[in-house]
Amino acid sequence: MELKGITFSYDKKQDQLKGISGTIEVGRITTIIGPNGSGKSTLLGVMARNFAPQSGAAVLDGKAVASYHPKELARKLAVVHQQNDAPSDLTVEGLTAFGRLPHRSMWSQRGQEDEDAIEWALESTNLLGKRRQRIVELSGGERQRVWLAMALAQKTPILFLDEPTTFLDVYHQIEVLELIRRLNVRDKLTIVMVLHDMNQAVRYSDKLIVMKDGQAMLEGAPQQIVTEQMMREIYGVEVAIKHDEQTGMYIVPLGIGRG
Ligand code: ADP
Ligand code: MG
């Protein structure tokens, strides 16, 4: 996917995205980072065509996402949003099955291909044992995985995730990140996600896009992008960057900058 000068405004007064350009590479994990309110979710929304840009375009396989038929786009990319509410009487399998809608006509029954996709999605997210449970009965970590399962059941080559680890404890954060990596390596999914934790972003991404005030400031490999200067300029935080054989690079916040 190519991002070509995307400008977007919710209210026509102020631009929330100010001419964003960049490249999402096939088969890679790209992570969008940046302070709260910098436009990360908005950008993901334009890329998934939840919002139409005022100018510029997100171009997927040579065609602007805005000109795809909704079902056609839903077979190419699936999105796991930041906040999700499910009708409380749905089961794990019931919600996962919604991911099949782009592949079916309105009144058709579930076919073998649908069943296979649902099994694969439940298995990948380690939810086979919970398939008949209702969403309300699940823990936060399990609930996050059901939304992921629904997106996976769509069987798209591209997956977008907006802060998939927020509200999870560290065990469940790592669980979701390892799952995302496995989907990338084993199933060759192209991943675009938004993360807050800089150390996790460095560890689980091939490429970072750094946003601030509606602009894409930097784009590249984590090792090149993440520097003490970047952390100061983008976040206003003083950090020490350590190098370690086991973990690679890690970032330790020291304090708030005075500049
Ligand atoms: P991030 O995901 O990086 O925290 P967002 O993309 O959610 O940032 O928000 C970018 C800017 O757009 C913020 O200033 C936010 O207040 C504004 N914004 C987000 N959603 C809406 C909306 N639905 N209507 C109006 N303004 C919005
Ligand atoms: Mg956001």
Side-chain angles (χ1 to χ4, degrees):
M1 181 182 275
E2 292 287 332
L3 312 180
K4 296 191 170 171
I6 293 172
T7 300
F8 175 80
S9 167
Y10 286 102
D11 55 11
K12 318 263 184 246
K13 286 179 204 143
Q14 199 189 345
D15 286 343
Q16 272 76 34
L17 301 177
K18 303 169 184 168
I20 306 263
S21 293
T23 306
I24 307 300
E25 284 166 45
V26 174
R28 296 298 179 106
I29 300 181
T30 302
T31 300
I32 305 169
I33 62 169
N36 290 333
S38 57
K40 304 181 296 295
S41 297
T42 306
L43 178 59
L44 220 51
V46 169
M47 290 165 64
R49 95 134 186 210
N50 298 333
F51 310 128
Q54 269 79 29
S55 63
V59 177
L60 176 61
D61 295 339
K63 184 166 141 183
V65 294
S67 55
Y68 275 80
H69 186 277
K71 271 197 175 182
E72 186 190 9
L73 190 64
R75 288 181 204 141
K76 292 223 177 210
L77 66 86
V79 188
V80 181
H81 290 285
Q82 198 168 354
Q83 273 128 12
N84 294 300
D85 287 306
S88 52
D89 52 341
L90 271 181
T91 62
V92 168
E93 183 173 344
L95 187 61
T96 303
F98 274 112
R100 296 308 298 162
L101 291 181
H103 295 273
R104 291 161 53 197
S105 57
M106 187 87 88
W107 305 111
S108 67
Q109 298 289 313
R110 264 153 67 171
Q112 191 56 47
E113 207 176 314
D114 300 313
E115 301 300 340
D116 290 348
I118 291 165
E119 290 304 306
W120 173 76
L122 292 173
E123 186 256 285
S124 295
T125 50
N126 202 15
L127 285 169
L128 280 174
K130 303 259 174 193
R131 63 193 305 160
R132 309 216 189 285
Q133 283 207 22
R134 297 189 311 147
I135 308 291
V136 276
E137 298 163 357
L138 301 179
S139 71
E142 289 163 348
R143 220 172 277 190
Q144 186 65 26
R145 294 210 306 275
V146 184
W147 289 105
L148 190 49
M150 182 173 88
L152 290 182
Q154 252 175 274
K155 277 280 186 168
T156 59
I158 307 172
L159 182 62
F160 291 171
L161 305 114
D162 197 348
E163 297 192 28
T165 58
T166 310
F167 309 122
L168 300 181
D169 64 45
V170 64
Y171 177 95
H172 292 98
Q173 288 180 26
I174 303 301
E175 182 181 52
V176 165
L177 290 166
E178 297 281 335
L179 165 58
I180 290 166
R181 177 182 273 164
R182 197 161 66 242
L183 290 166
N184 172 251
V185 173
R186 185 190 67 182
D187 301 303
K188 311 280 180 255
L189 291 191
T190 300
I191 309 275
V192 181
M193 60 181 169
V194 175
L195 287 181
H196 262 303
D197 186 298
M198 197 59 62
N199 283 303
Q200 290 177 353
V202 167
R203 194 136 182 211
Y204 289 93
S205 315
D206 299 307
K207 180 174 175 175
L208 301 180
I209 295 175
V210 184
M211 291 195 62
K212 188 177 187 183
D213 298 332
Q215 290 178 289
M217 310 296 284
L218 293 163
E219 174 180 346
Q223 285 71 16
Q224 286 151 9
I225 295 288
V226 179
T227 60
E228 290 162 11
Q229 188 192 353
M230 184 281 275
M231 292 299 292
R232 189 180 302 126
E233 286 174 4
I234 301 291
Y235 289 95
V237 169
E238 296 297 321
V239 303
I241 293 180
K242 309 281 182 187
H243 295 273
D244 175 271
E245 235 172 74
Q246 202 184 350
T247 58
M249 169 200 227
Y250 65 98
I251 301 117
V252 185
L254 299 174
I256 310 289
R258 288 183 203 90

